[in-house]
Amino acid sequence: MSHDHSHAPAGFSKAFAVGIALNLAFVGVEAFYGWKVNSLALLADAGHNLSDVAGLVLAWGGVLAGKLQPNPRHTYGWRKGSILAAFANALLLLVAMGALGWEAIGRLMSPDVSTSQEGTTIMAVAGVGILINSATALLFMRGRDTDLNIRGAFLHMAADALVSAGVVVAGALTLWMGLHWLDAVVSLLIAAVIVWGTWSLFKQSLHLLFDGVPDDIDPQAVHDYLAKLDGVQAVHDLHIWALDTTQTAMTAHLVMPTWQQDDLFLKGIADSLHERFEITHSTIQVVREPFTTPCRSWGTKQ
């Protein structure tokens, strides 16, 4: 057997704490002025930002759970907490956007003309939102390419900055042209933008929750690499899955009837799997005769 452990990227605890504090304060400001001027766009964006606060809390919890030490009952620790957090974050956003869309459609059917005089307030509050969301997104920028959980936090904050810019435009048009229906239309656009940006996160996190192979790893390529090793007659019981949002595990049986190698052979495989496929935790079992039924059929060795 060969095991290779790697460490996750540097922690983001400070980024989470700052991001949660900034967004929680902004939610209060946005909700107050949204209620004061009866702006659905502001109230909707406040609700969405509140869900983002909850999402940041979930993501932070997932990171902290991954740092808990393994024990005899949880031999991998609680690493999947980050995957679960990403999934819960995406689900929370989708539900919130569904509620927003429903309310916006109702407002379109029964428009409230009182908001047409409050464009300045809407623009000012949403302008603050652009600054808050952009600053929060920057806190997570360096981890967006290596961690699904961190990428979820980054994408949500970046999308919120764009959404707030849309609310500013709606406020301007409401003030200058009296388009009282535009508030509800912007709310629908907010929902569409967030659903579009969240759907990929939802699918990826659900895929990983069910031990799917991470999207950036080709399982056939992993099989072919193992099958081409000197002395390997067949590869059985190959399994690849995500331990968390940054680390991947793999197990396999190598059928080698003339096995004469030592631990250096296994270490070389582990190093190659890490270098070629970013598989950070590999377990290889060598057998002279297969004693298990292959879980699936693979292409022939080339």
Side-chain angles (χ1 to χ4, degrees):
M1 294 184 181
S2 178
H3 299 276
D4 179 41
H5 300 269
S6 72
H7 298 283
F12 285 81
S13 289
K14 184 177 180 180
F16 279 117
V18 172
I20 289 170
L22 287 175
N23 281 271
L24 199 56
F26 180 61
V27 164
V29 172
E30 197 171 28
F32 172 76
Y33 282 101
W35 165 77
K36 185 176 181 180
V37 303
N38 196 28
S39 168
L40 179 61
L42 281 180
L43 289 172
D45 201 39
H48 169 60
N49 276 290
L50 184 59
S51 73
D52 273 350
V53 171
L56 287 173
V57 171
L58 284 170
W60 194 5
V63 171
L64 295 177
K67 294 181 179 180
L68 295 177
Q69 292 299 312
N71 59 50
R73 286 290 184 183
H74 298 90
T75 55
Y76 281 125
W78 297 80
R79 295 179 180 178
K80 264 198 167 54
S82 59
I83 300 176
L84 184 60
F87 174 75
N89 200 346
L91 188 61
L92 179 65
L93 282 170
L94 291 175
V95 171
M97 290 306 100
L100 165 60
W102 180 264
E103 183 65 24
I105 291 173
R107 183 67 67 91
L108 272 176
M109 297 176 65
S110 301
D112 186 349
V113 298
S114 65
T115 60
S116 61
Q117 304 302 317
E118 303 295 346
T120 302
T121 301
I122 294 173
M123 291 169 62
V125 175
V128 174
I130 296 175
L131 297 177
I132 295 293
N133 292 318
S134 296
T136 306
L138 290 174
L139 294 174
F140 300 102
M141 178 175 287
R142 65 187 173 91
R144 71 189 188 280
D145 294 328
T146 57
D147 189 326
L148 185 67
N149 196 23
I150 299 300
R151 180 166 28 137
F154 170 79
L155 287 177
H156 291 164
M157 295 301 106
D160 282 350
L162 294 177
V163 165
S164 294
V167 173
V168 170
V169 172
L173 293 177
T174 298
L175 179 64
W176 296 331
M177 303 180 65
L179 302 176
H180 52 267
W181 48 266
L182 192 60
D183 189 70
V185 170
V186 168
S187 299
L188 285 173
L189 290 176
I190 288 174
V193 168
I194 300 305
V195 168
W196 179 80
T198 303
W199 188 247
S200 175
L201 179 67
F202 176 79
K203 288 194 303 180
Q204 284 184 288
S205 57
L206 182 63
H207 174 71
L208 296 184
L209 274 178
F210 284 90
D211 291 333
V213 179
D215 290 345
D216 58 346
I217 295 178
D218 180 356
Q220 184 65 56
V222 174
H223 172 273
D224 291 347
Y225 160 72
L226 294 173
K228 291 176 182 178
L229 293 171
D230 289 340
V232 174
Q233 185 180 84
V235 178
H236 281 199
D237 279 347
L238 174 60
H239 299 279
I240 306 169
W241 72 99
L243 291 172
D244 56 24
T245 51
T246 62
Q247 299 187 70
T248 303
M250 187 215 77
T251 61
H253 290 181
L254 302 184
V255 181
M256 303 180 67
T258 59
W259 165 254
Q260 305 248 341
Q261 305 287 352
D262 55 21
D263 289 350
L264 288 178
F265 175 74
L266 297 174
K267 184 180 183 302
I269 296 176
D271 291 343
S272 293
L273 289 171
H274 193 175
E275 181 180 348
R276 295 187 181 197
F277 306 104
E278 285 298 321
I279 293 174
T280 54
H281 189 293
S282 58
T283 302
I284 305 294
Q285 181 172 346
V286 177
V287 297
R288 287 189 169 84
E289 293 184 7
F291 55 84
T292 60
T293 302
C295 296
R296 59 148 289 171
S297 298
W298 298 88
T300 57
K301 181 177 177 180
Q302 297 179 354

